[in-house]
Amino acid sequence: MKKLVAFLLATVMVMSMLTACGSSEAATETAAEVSESADGATSAALADGVLTVGTNAEFPPFEYVGDDGQPDGFDMALVKAIGEKLGVEVKIENMEFASLVTSIGSKIDIAAAGMTVTEERKQTVDFSNPYYEAVQYVVLPKDSAIASAADLEGKTIGVQLGTTGDFIATDIPGSTVSSYNKAVDAVNDLINGKVDCVIIDKNPALVFESKFEGQVVAVDGAQFDFEIENYAIALPKGDAVLAEQINKAVEELKADGTFDELVKTYIEAE
Ligand code: GLN
């Protein structure tokens, strides 16, 4: 409702500006202008000048809680840079990963959470162009004998709830899946011997391997026949203007070197 009111207000403002200045007037780009495409279509998500981004800050290096208590990480830096390009304020909402997709369009405008593009999620949301390639890894206790897809059968597997690791683990014959809201809790239960392995994305797996050095190892999912995944920003279904603006902003950030800088700072530095 707030969004609708803000959107209507923005529309009225734009219309009165057009009347006052004439449509040819060159002005600095405002959020209201960014929310409109060349053919006049608008984005409800951009119209209020605030882009509310949902994340789950339990997924280093893409998102974690920084020393100042605020969500930080690659995705957070990326959405802030996108916000700057679009001239909108970025507000981060830290929430459970499993709630992100269904919160788009109500609590949040978009989600940036190392989220893999899946056919199932596409029923509910649209995705930006992919921005990062990933694969699931298997985190094992240092001396584990698990080494192949067949070895995972019948095992107790820790995962983060509602993630692609969760979906893969559920499909393994005879598996018992223990799901956690925080990935680190799954790794703690691995160390405590409560689960046999943890299936989680490559980069967080590597972060946990170094955090719990000597206790766990992270093994490439290729060894278990896991497929390549692509991360993208989840968007409200049908908001083509927003998708176009976000894709354009990411392209610009790639072209001007910002994107590579963020990869170096947040991902390759790990
Ligand atoms: N890439 C995984 C997924 O989309 C995990 C994301 C996460 O835990 N933040 O499901």
Short mmCIF file of all heavy atoms in Angstrom, two decimals, residues 59 63 97 113-116 121 136 160 162-164 201 229 231, ligand 1:
data_model
loop_
_atom_site.label_atom_id
_atom_site.label_comp_id
_atom_site.label_asym_id
_atom_site.label_seq_id
_atom_site.Cartn_x
_atom_site.Cartn_y
_atom_site.Cartn_z
N PHE A 59 26.05 -16.04 4.65
CA PHE A 59 26.56 -16.71 3.46
C PHE A 59 27.82 -16.02 2.97
O PHE A 59 27.84 -15.42 1.90
CB PHE A 59 25.43 -16.64 2.41
CG PHE A 59 25.56 -17.56 1.23
CD1 PHE A 59 25.43 -18.93 1.36
CD2 PHE A 59 25.81 -17.04 -0.04
CE1 PHE A 59 25.52 -19.76 0.25
CE2 PHE A 59 25.90 -17.86 -1.15
CZ PHE A 59 25.76 -19.23 -1.00
N GLU A 63 27.38 -12.54 1.62
CA GLU A 63 26.72 -11.70 2.62
C GLU A 63 26.98 -12.26 4.00
O GLU A 63 26.95 -13.47 4.21
CB GLU A 63 25.19 -11.57 2.39
CG GLU A 63 24.50 -12.82 1.90
CD GLU A 63 24.48 -12.86 0.38
OE1 GLU A 63 24.53 -11.80 -0.23
OE2 GLU A 63 24.43 -13.97 -0.17
N PHE A 97 16.74 -17.10 4.52
CA PHE A 97 16.88 -17.34 3.08
C PHE A 97 15.58 -17.90 2.50
O PHE A 97 15.13 -17.48 1.43
CB PHE A 97 18.04 -18.30 2.80
CG PHE A 97 18.25 -18.51 1.32
CD1 PHE A 97 18.95 -17.59 0.57
CD2 PHE A 97 17.70 -19.61 0.67
CE1 PHE A 97 19.12 -17.75 -0.80
CE2 PHE A 97 17.86 -19.78 -0.70
CZ PHE A 97 18.56 -18.86 -1.44
N ALA A 113 21.23 -12.60 -2.71
CA ALA A 113 21.57 -13.55 -1.65
C ALA A 113 22.30 -14.76 -2.21
O ALA A 113 22.05 -15.89 -1.80
CB ALA A 113 20.30 -13.99 -0.93
N GLY A 114 23.20 -14.54 -3.15
CA GLY A 114 23.88 -15.69 -3.76
C GLY A 114 22.84 -16.67 -4.26
O GLY A 114 23.02 -17.88 -4.17
N MET A 115 21.76 -16.12 -4.79
CA MET A 115 20.63 -16.98 -5.14
C MET A 115 20.79 -17.61 -6.53
O MET A 115 21.00 -16.91 -7.51
CB MET A 115 19.31 -16.22 -5.06
CG MET A 115 18.12 -17.17 -5.14
SD MET A 115 16.55 -16.32 -5.05
CE MET A 115 16.49 -15.87 -3.33
N THR A 116 20.67 -18.92 -6.56
CA THR A 116 20.79 -19.66 -7.81
C THR A 116 19.50 -19.55 -8.60
O THR A 116 18.41 -19.66 -8.04
CB THR A 116 21.08 -21.15 -7.49
OG1 THR A 116 22.26 -21.21 -6.70
CG2 THR A 116 21.22 -21.97 -8.75
N ARG A 121 11.97 -21.50 -8.79
CA ARG A 121 11.88 -20.11 -8.33
C ARG A 121 11.33 -19.21 -9.42
O ARG A 121 10.66 -18.21 -9.15
CB ARG A 121 13.27 -19.63 -7.87
CG ARG A 121 13.71 -20.27 -6.58
CD ARG A 121 15.13 -19.95 -6.21
NE ARG A 121 15.52 -20.63 -4.99
CZ ARG A 121 16.75 -20.93 -4.64
NH1 ARG A 121 17.76 -20.60 -5.43
NH2 ARG A 121 17.00 -21.56 -3.51
N GLN A 136 27.73 -26.53 -5.96
CA GLN A 136 27.67 -26.99 -4.57
C GLN A 136 28.96 -27.75 -4.23
O GLN A 136 29.51 -28.46 -5.09
CB GLN A 136 26.45 -27.91 -4.36
CG GLN A 136 25.12 -27.21 -4.58
CD GLN A 136 24.92 -26.05 -3.63
OE1 GLN A 136 24.99 -26.19 -2.42
NE2 GLN A 136 24.66 -24.86 -4.20
N GLN A 160 21.56 -25.71 4.35
CA GLN A 160 20.83 -24.51 4.75
C GLN A 160 19.43 -24.61 4.13
O GLN A 160 19.29 -24.92 2.94
CB GLN A 160 21.55 -23.25 4.26
CG GLN A 160 21.06 -22.02 5.00
CD GLN A 160 21.69 -20.75 4.50
OE1 GLN A 160 22.55 -20.76 3.63
NE2 GLN A 160 21.25 -19.64 5.06
N GLY A 162 16.03 -24.54 2.37
CA GLY A 162 15.47 -23.90 1.17
C GLY A 162 16.49 -23.56 0.10
O GLY A 162 16.17 -22.85 -0.85
N THR A 163 17.72 -24.08 0.24
CA THR A 163 18.76 -23.78 -0.74
C THR A 163 18.89 -24.91 -1.76
O THR A 163 18.34 -26.00 -1.56
CB THR A 163 20.13 -23.60 -0.05
OG1 THR A 163 20.45 -24.82 0.61
CG2 THR A 163 20.09 -22.47 0.96
N THR A 164 19.66 -24.66 -2.80
CA THR A 164 19.87 -25.71 -3.80
C THR A 164 20.61 -26.90 -3.18
O THR A 164 20.41 -28.04 -3.60
CB THR A 164 20.63 -25.15 -5.02
OG1 THR A 164 21.71 -24.35 -4.56
CG2 THR A 164 19.72 -24.30 -5.88
N ASP A 201 27.18 -24.11 -1.12
CA ASP A 201 27.86 -23.49 -2.25
C ASP A 201 29.38 -23.37 -2.03
O ASP A 201 29.84 -23.19 -0.91
CB ASP A 201 27.30 -22.09 -2.51
CG ASP A 201 25.81 -22.11 -2.79
OD1 ASP A 201 25.07 -22.74 -2.02
OD2 ASP A 201 25.39 -21.48 -3.77
N GLU A 229 25.87 -23.87 -11.19
CA GLU A 229 24.71 -23.02 -10.90
C GLU A 229 25.07 -21.56 -11.22
O GLU A 229 26.25 -21.22 -11.29
CB GLU A 229 24.35 -23.13 -9.41
CG GLU A 229 24.01 -24.56 -9.00
CD GLU A 229 23.61 -24.70 -7.53
OE1 GLU A 229 23.45 -23.67 -6.84
OE2 GLU A 229 23.45 -25.84 -7.09
N TYR A 231 24.28 -17.51 -10.07
CA TYR A 231 23.64 -16.57 -9.15
C TYR A 231 23.06 -15.39 -9.95
O TYR A 231 23.68 -14.89 -10.89
CB TYR A 231 24.66 -15.96 -8.18
CG TYR A 231 25.27 -16.91 -7.18
CD1 TYR A 231 26.38 -16.53 -6.45
CD2 TYR A 231 24.72 -18.18 -6.95
CE1 TYR A 231 26.95 -17.38 -5.52
CE2 TYR A 231 25.29 -19.03 -6.02
CZ TYR A 231 26.41 -18.63 -5.31
OH TYR A 231 26.98 -19.46 -4.38
N1 GLN B 1 22.91 -20.68 -4.05
C1 GLN B 1 22.09 -21.35 -3.09
C2 GLN B 1 20.66 -21.18 -3.45
O1 GLN B 1 20.26 -20.41 -4.15
C3 GLN B 1 22.35 -20.89 -1.66
C4 GLN B 1 22.11 -19.45 -1.39
C5 GLN B 1 22.22 -19.05 0.08
O2 GLN B 1 22.26 -19.87 0.98
N2 GLN B 1 22.27 -17.78 0.33
O3 GLN B 1 19.79 -21.80 -3.07
#
